[in-house]
Amino acid sequence: MTDGAFITVNGLSHALSRPTTVAALLEEIGLDRVKIAVERNESIVPRSLYEQTLLDDGDVLEIVHFIGGG
C-alpha cells in the first residue's frame, strides 16, 4: 500500500495514511470484530486473518454487523 491510499467501506470512501490491516481498520472505526463479518473485494476475510490482511489502494470492503433478536 502506498501513502495516501483510498479504500471503500460500505460504499463510502475512506483514506488510509499508513499501511493498515483489517484489524487496525476495525479498531479505528470502533467496531467489535466478534460481531461483524468483513468482505474484501468480494471475498470473505476469515476472522483469523484480520491481523495479517493488509489493505491496498482501491480495496472495496463490505462490513456486516450481526444483530440478535427474536
Side-chain angles (χ1 to χ4, degrees):
M1 188 207 77
T2 59
D3 290 342
F6 287 89
I7 60 171
T8 302
V9 180
N10 292 353
L12 300 173
S13 183
H14 185 86
L16 300 176
S17 59
R18 58 184 166 76
T20 303
T21 63
V22 170
L25 176 70
L26 295 176
E27 184 175 323
E28 178 183 320
I29 58 181
L31 295 177
D32 180 353
R33 69 171 82 183
V34 174
K35 298 178 182 178
I36 54 116
V38 178
E39 179 183 277
R40 176 182 178 225
N41 303 327
E42 300 183 0
S43 295
I44 297 293
V45 178
R47 205 172 269 118
S48 62
L49 297 180
Y50 286 0
E51 296 287 341
Q52 296 91 16
T53 303
L54 278 173
L55 300 173
D56 293 317
D57 188 36
D59 278 351
V60 177
L61 300 177
E62 291 296 326
I63 301 174
V64 179
H65 301 260
F66 296 116
I67 300 174

